[in-house]
Amino acid sequence: MDPEFIHEHSMDLLGKFPSVASKIFGDIEFNDRFSLDIGGSKWPFPVGLAAGLDKNAMAIDFFSRLPLGAVEVGTVTPKPQPGNDKPRLFRYVGEESLRNRMGFNNDGAETLLARIENSNRNGRILGVNLGKNKITAPEKACDDYASLYKTFSKVADYLVVNVSSPNTPGLRDLQGEEEMNKIFDALKPLRDECPVPLYLKIAPDLSEEGIKSLIDISKNHKLAGLIATNTTIMEERGPGGISGKLLAQKSAKVRNQILEALRETPEIELIGVGGVSSSKELFEFWKNGGKAMQVYTAFIFQGPSLLHGIYRDIDKLIKRNNAQSLNQLLSDREAIDWT
Ligand SMILES: Cc1cc2nc3c(=O)[nH]c(=O)nc-3n(C[C@H](O)[C@H](O)[C@H](O)COP(=O)(O)O)c2cc1C
C-alpha cells in the first residue's frame, strides 16, 4: 500500500481513538525521575516526537500517552497548501529509512490552532514547527514567520523556525546570515510581547562554516536553541529528503560539531534529531553533552515499542548508577557506567 495513504489513515484513527496506546502498552506515569530542563521548559521525558509526523495536529492526545516528553506538530504554514504531487513518500524497508518530498502539505494555521486548543496534552510539552507558504516570495518569508509566531505563541510551549526542508524551493537558502537576521529581526517585537522559547531547525547538509554562522545567529538573537537535523539530500536516491538510518551518521556529525561549539554556551540548547532508532543514539548524545532528542522514521518502522524500549533502557541506566533521577545522573557524565 502507498505509505502516505497508510500514514494519513493512521493519523485519522489515532486522533479518534487516542487511548489505544495506553490500552495496548499500559499507562506511562512520569514522575520527576525522567524530567529534564530543555531550553527553559521542563520536559517530562527526554525524547520528543519530531515535526512532520503529526503535521496537522490530528493526534496530540494519542502521542501524549506514549513515552514522549514533547510532541512537535507542523510544519504549519499561514495558509493551507496541498504540497507536492503524489507519490511523495517512499520507504526503504531494509534500511529503515524514508525519502519524502511532501512540500509542507498542511491544513493551515487557523485549523491547526483550533485542533491544538481542543487537545489534551497530558502534561507533555507542545512544540509548533513553522514554515513559509510555497507562494510566499523569499523576501517576504519573514511576514509568514511573524504571522505564525503571533498565532501560535499563545498556545505552544516552544516554537521552531523551519528553514531546512529540502522540499520547498528556495527554503534552505533562508539559512544564510542575511536572511536569518531578517527573519529574527521581524520576530523580535513579537517575542518581546509574548516570549516563547524559539528554536531554529537546520539541515545536515551545511558546511562547517554555515553551521558556525547559525550558532552565532542563535546566540545573537537569544534563541532557546537549535534542532539538528532535518532530512538530507542524496541525489542518487531521487528528489526529496532522506531520513532514518541512512541519515544517522551525517546527522550525528553535525550534532557533535554543534555540541562542541556550545560547550561554553549552556543557555543555547541543542535538540538532536536524525537517525535515532534506539537508546544507543540517545546515550551517545548524552555522552557528548546533549540532553533531548526527537524521533520520526524509527517510530514509523518500530511503532510505540521503540519508545517503551528507550524508556526501559533509561530506567535501567538510572538504577545501575544508583541515581535518583535523570537530572542527577547527567549532572556528572564522566562518572556514568554506560555498560
Ligand atoms: C515524511 C516526513 C515528513 C517530514 N516533515 C517535516 C516537516 O514538516 N517539518 C520538519 O521540520 N521536519 C519534517 N521532517 C523531518 C523530521 O522531523 C526529522 O527532522 C527527520 O526525519 C530526521 O529524523 P528521523 O531520522 O528520526 O526521521 C519530515 C520527515 C519525514 C520522514
Side-chain angles (χ1 to χ4, degrees), residues 50-52 55 74-75 89 98 100 102 104 129 162 201 229-231 243-244 247 273-276 295-297:
K55 234 179 226 303
T75 296
L89 177 59
L98 296 171
N100 90 84
M102 309 297 286
F104 288 170
N129 183 300
N162 180 10
K201 184 162 178 180
T229 70
N230 213 313
T231 55
S243 58
L247 165 67
V273 56
V276 179
V295 294
Y296 187 139
T297 301

Side-chain angles (χ1 to χ4, degrees), residues 7 49-53 55 72-76 88-89 96 98-102 104-105 129 160 162 164-165 167 201-202 227-232 241-245 247-248 251 273-277 294-300:
H7 189 94
L49 188 74
L53 208 155
K55 234 179 226 303
E72 189 174 313
V73 298
T75 296
V76 58
R88 54 192 181 179
L89 177 59
E96 225 180 83
L98 296 171
R99 174 165 61 90
N100 90 84
R101 36 171 231 98
M102 309 297 286
F104 288 170
N105 55 305
N129 183 300
V160 185
N162 180 10
S164 49
S165 162
N167 301 316
K201 184 162 178 180
I202 69 169
I227 301 185
T229 70
N230 213 313
T231 55
T232 186
I242 301 279
S243 58
K245 288 195 172 164
L247 165 67
S251 206
V273 56
V276 179
S277 60
Q294 296 177 320
V295 294
Y296 187 139
T297 301
F299 183 85
I300 297 296

Side-chain angles (χ1 to χ4, degrees), residues 56 80 107-116:
N56 283 314
D107 294 339
E110 201 182 312
T111 303
L112 258 83
L113 178 67
R115 288 193 190 128
I116 291 169

Side-chain angles (χ1 to χ4, degrees), residues 85-263:
D85 291 342
K86 295 178 186 173
R88 54 192 181 179
L89 177 59
F90 310 89
R91 289 184 174 195
Y92 302 113
V93 177
E95 293 163 303
E96 225 180 83
S97 299
L98 296 171
R99 174 165 61 90
N100 90 84
R101 36 171 231 98
M102 309 297 286
F104 288 170
N105 55 305
N106 77 101
D107 294 339
E110 201 182 312
T111 303
L112 258 83
L113 178 67
R115 288 193 190 128
I116 291 169
E117 283 174 337
N118 289 320
S119 67
N120 175 358
R121 302 173 194 184
N122 195 26
R124 305 307 199 261
I125 293 293
L126 184 88
V128 183
N129 183 300
L130 317 175
K132 78 165 198 67
N133 275 116
K134 186 177 178 183
I135 55 160
T136 303
E139 60 277 14
K140 297 267 184 214
C142 54
D143 296 345
D144 277 11
Y145 290 104
S147 102
L148 291 164
Y149 187 97
K150 217 171 173 172
T151 304
F152 291 102
S153 51
K154 294 177 277 189
V155 293
D157 296 308
Y158 72 87
L159 294 169
V160 185
V161 169
N162 180 10
V163 284
S164 49
S165 162
N167 301 316
T168 296
L171 190 82
R172 285 185 166 197
D173 297 339
L174 298 176
Q175 292 174 121
E177 199 175 317
E178 197 180 319
E179 292 79 5
M180 286 276 70
N181 282 327
K182 201 172 159 195
I183 291 173
F184 290 118
D185 285 343
L187 293 180
K188 170 122 193 353
L190 299 167
R191 292 177 66 200
D192 289 344
E193 200 180 307
C194 184
V196 173
L198 183 64
Y199 290 84
L200 173 66
K201 184 162 178 180
I202 69 169
D205 307 311
L206 294 159
S207 64
E208 280 196 23
E209 275 311 300
I211 294 169
K212 255 178 81 188
S213 148
L214 291 174
I215 292 172
D216 286 341
I217 283 162
S218 56
K219 286 183 193 167
N220 294 342
H221 290 277
K222 298 195 166 38
L223 301 189
L226 295 165
I227 301 185
T229 70
N230 213 313
T231 55
T232 186
I233 293 167
M234 290 172 82
E235 266 156 26
E236 66 280 16
R237 300 268 173 163
I242 301 279
S243 58
K245 288 195 172 164
L246 286 170
L247 165 67
Q249 227 180 342
K250 196 185 260 186
S251 206
K253 194 170 163 214
V254 171
R255 287 196 294 269
N256 288 340
Q257 189 195 332
I258 297 172
L259 286 173
E260 187 63 42
L262 291 179
R263 236 171 248 282

Side-chain angles (χ1 to χ4, degrees), residues 276-287 310 313:
V276 179
S277 60
S278 69
S279 55
K280 186 169 157 259
E281 291 79 22
L282 179 65
F283 292 177
E284 203 53 43
F285 190 59
W286 286 350
K287 280 179 201 168
I310 295 177
D313 288 349

